[in-house]
């Protein structure tokens, strides 16, 4: 039977850092999520699906400017979205960012200058 290798000091330290980051994120999320749920009606801001205590876990807080650390007390950076609309919003954001990157990226080299097409 193969023996398990002892975790190295580095992997143990990494595990601690990851665990602490997750705890911090959960604390931060709990704070603004609870505030947003008290401030806004339990309705998805896109599809208008209504939520109750039974399915409230499917309602998420979306940061309008995509900065999860910007949580003003008035809630102006938040909107409540269902899981599906939230996922769609982030997909659209990533597609837009990719399109901007593609539009500003350097054009490919002409095939006559490509290192693959040139043979020594």
């Amino acid at each position: 039977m193969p023996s398990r290798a002892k975790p190295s000091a580095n992997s143990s330290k990494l595990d601690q850092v990851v665990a602490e980051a997750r705890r911090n994120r959960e604390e931060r999320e709990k704070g603004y999520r609870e505030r947003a749920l008290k401030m806004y009606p339990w309705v998805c801001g896109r599809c208008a699906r209504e939520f109750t205590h039974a399915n409230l876990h499917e309602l998420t807080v979306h940061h309008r400017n995509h900065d999860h650390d910007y949580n003003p007390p008035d809630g102006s950076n938040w909107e409540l979205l269902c899981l599906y609309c939230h996922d769609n919003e982030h997909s659209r954001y990533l597609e837009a960012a990719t399109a901007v990157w593609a539009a500003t990226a350097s054009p490919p080299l002409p095939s006559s200058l490509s290192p693959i097409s040139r043979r020594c």
Side-chain angles (χ1 to χ4, degrees):
M1 183 174 233
S3 63
R4 292 188 177 247
K6 290 174 57 177
S8 69
N10 285 342
S11 69
S12 178
K13 177 69 174 168
L14 178 61
D15 291 343
Q16 290 174 352
V17 169
V18 169
E20 182 178 351
R22 285 183 178 152
R23 276 192 305 273
N24 291 341
R25 184 191 70 211
E26 288 168 3
E27 279 300 312
R28 186 175 64 238
E29 285 176 357
K30 186 169 41 169
Y32 69 74
R33 178 176 166 74
E34 287 176 1
R35 290 189 323 217
L37 291 173
K38 287 178 184 175
M39 251 183 229
Y40 297 112
W42 295 355
V43 176
C44 175
R46 299 291 160 83
C47 69
R49 178 179 167 200
E50 296 182 10
F51 291 82
T52 65
H53 284 284
N55 63 354
L56 192 59
H57 64 277
E58 296 177 10
L59 187 62
T60 64
V61 178
H62 172 64
H63 289 80
R64 295 174 191 261
N65 72 352
H66 297 271
D67 180 357
H68 295 166
D69 292 321
Y70 179 60
N71 296 301
D74 66 354
S76 58
N77 190 36
W78 307 327
E79 67 180 325
L80 297 178
L81 299 178
C82 71
L83 292 171
Y84 307 107
C85 291
H86 198 180
D87 186 49
N88 180 271
E89 175 63 28
H90 281 273
S91 294
R92 288 178 33 208
Y93 179 76
L94 290 174
E95 287 171 4
T98 302
V100 168
W101 176 83
T104 59
S106 303
L109 292 172
S111 60
S112 61
L113 298 177
S114 172
I116 295 173
S117 66
R118 295 179 75 190
R119 302 278 181 206
C120 296

